[in-house]
């Protein structure tokens, strides 16, 4: 009891100590039986469980979002806001759109800098990029394809579109040369019909004006070893896609063994028109692989 400041003269100290010890003893006698009587067997285990559940949970995986051709990272804005509200760290990668090999190396270099688990998401051509870039990255725990290409080794975007008729993308393209190659844009007059049919007209017009072109060579480059053969995958199929036919998306999802969801009536820009569905499938992938 040396931490209790003395009160009064020294001759009262022994008596005060005795009173304090007696009070503690009485309090103990009163408290312990009351606790034993009021608390059922197993209460200690219950208390431990409460303590355990109060511990901080493991950090959530980083969600890495990769846009496709004719778009940029802002196409993920509505999805990003939903994921961030749920506590997910999000990185929207600026896909170079210069060629599959180079774009995949670029994304791979970003994955190298992210500590902890990653859920890697690709839209459209971005699906081909994540397919190649994720291979060899142990931190990538799930792949999510959003109206995307999920090629097998040796396949190209052009070869996949050739197997499944129905794409209206090719006749809607405008090609502009640049030093060393050719860039493809979606003609603004056709953009909404082909790319974003269920997006409000004003928003689709802005998307068309701000689209980023893709090098034509990117669609002709063959894919390497596909990450979906070793990493669990999820696939959001846009039910009314006019860029990548829904039949192609479903076939790629089936081949990859992906957990698949179809958004009926959705355009190729399903991440813009249906951000809730897009965010939900990403969260499902995160939960399943945590």
């Amino acid at each position: 009891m040396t931490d209790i400041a003395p009160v009064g003269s020294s001759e009262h100290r022994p008596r005060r100590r005795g009173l304090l010890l007696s009070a503690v003893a009485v309090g103990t006698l009163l408290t312990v039986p009351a606790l034993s009587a009021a608390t059922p067997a197993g209460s200690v285990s219950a208390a431990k469980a409460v303590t355990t559940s109060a511990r901080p949970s493991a950090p959530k995986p980083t969600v890495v979002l990769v846009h496709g051709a004719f778009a940029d990272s802002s196409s993920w804005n509505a999805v990003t806001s939903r994921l961030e509200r749920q506590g997910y760290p999000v990185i929207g990668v600026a896909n170079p759109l210069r060629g599959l090999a180079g774009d995949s190396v670029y994304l791979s270099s970003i994955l190298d800098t992210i500590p902890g688990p990653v859920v890697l998401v690709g839209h459209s051509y971005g699906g081909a990029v994540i397919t190649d870039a994720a291979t060899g990255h142990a931190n990538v725990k799930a792949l999510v394809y959003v109206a995307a290409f999920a090629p097998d080794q040796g396949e190209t975007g052009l070869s996949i579109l050739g197997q499944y008729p129905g794409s209206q993308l090719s006749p809607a393209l405008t090609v502009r040369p640049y030093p060393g190659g050719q860039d493809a844009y979606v003609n603004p007059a056709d953009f909404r019909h082909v790319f974003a049919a269920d997006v409000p007209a004003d928003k689709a017009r802005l998307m068309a004006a701000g689209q980023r072109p893709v090098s034509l060579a990117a669609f002709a480059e063959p894919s390497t070893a596909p990450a979906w053969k070793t990493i669990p995958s999820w696939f959001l199929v846009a039910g009314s896609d006019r860029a990548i036919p829904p039949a192609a998306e479903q076939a790629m999802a089936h081949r990859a063994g992906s957990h698949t969801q179809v958004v009926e009536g959705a355009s190729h820009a399903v991440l813009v028109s249906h951000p809730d569905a897009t965010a939900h499938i990403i969260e499902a992938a995160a939960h399943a692989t945590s």
Side-chain angles (χ1 to χ4, degrees), residues 4-7 11-22:
I4 298 179
V7 177
E11 63 182 6
H12 294 297
R13 290 177 188 170
R15 175 176 173 79
R16 179 169 182 78
R17 172 182 285 182
L19 290 172
L20 287 170
L21 289 175
S22 298

Side-chain angles (χ1 to χ4, degrees), residues 74 158 168 182 191 221 223 248 262:
S74 68
L158 290 176
Q168 300 178 33
Q182 293 180 308
F191 188 92
E221 282 191 49
S223 183
V262 179

Side-chain angles (χ1 to χ4, degrees), residues 99-191:
L100 183 56
D103 296 345
S104 300
V105 170
Y106 177 79
L107 175 58
S108 179
S109 71
I110 293 175
L111 297 175
D112 285 337
T113 69
I114 302 173
V118 169
V119 174
L120 187 55
V121 188
H123 171 240
S124 189
Y125 164 75
V129 177
I130 72 171
T131 295
D132 285 9
T135 299
H137 286 278
N139 61 329
V140 178
K141 303 302 182 182
L143 302 170
V144 182
Y145 294 91
V146 179
F149 290 110
D152 201 348
Q153 187 163 359
E155 286 185 331
T156 69
L158 290 176
S159 69
I160 292 170
L161 292 179
Q163 294 177 56
Y164 299 92
S167 174
Q168 300 178 33
L169 181 60
S170 181
L173 295 180
T174 295
V175 177
R176 295 188 174 99
Y178 67 89
Q182 293 180 308
D183 264 345
Y185 298 76
V186 178
N187 188 324
D190 299 317
F191 188 92

Side-chain angles (χ1 to χ4, degrees), residues 71-89:
D72 62 17
S73 291
S74 68
S75 60
W76 293 108
N77 282 354
V79 175
T80 297
S81 64
R82 285 159 172 77
L83 293 173
E84 288 183 339
R85 283 200 296 268
Q86 297 302 317
Y88 289 95

Side-chain angles (χ1 to χ4, degrees), residues 21 51 62 90 93 124-125 128 136 151 154 160 172 207 225 228 243 247:
L21 289 175
T51 303
T62 299
V90 179
V93 174
S124 189
Y125 164 75
I160 292 170
M207 291 170 63
W228 48 257

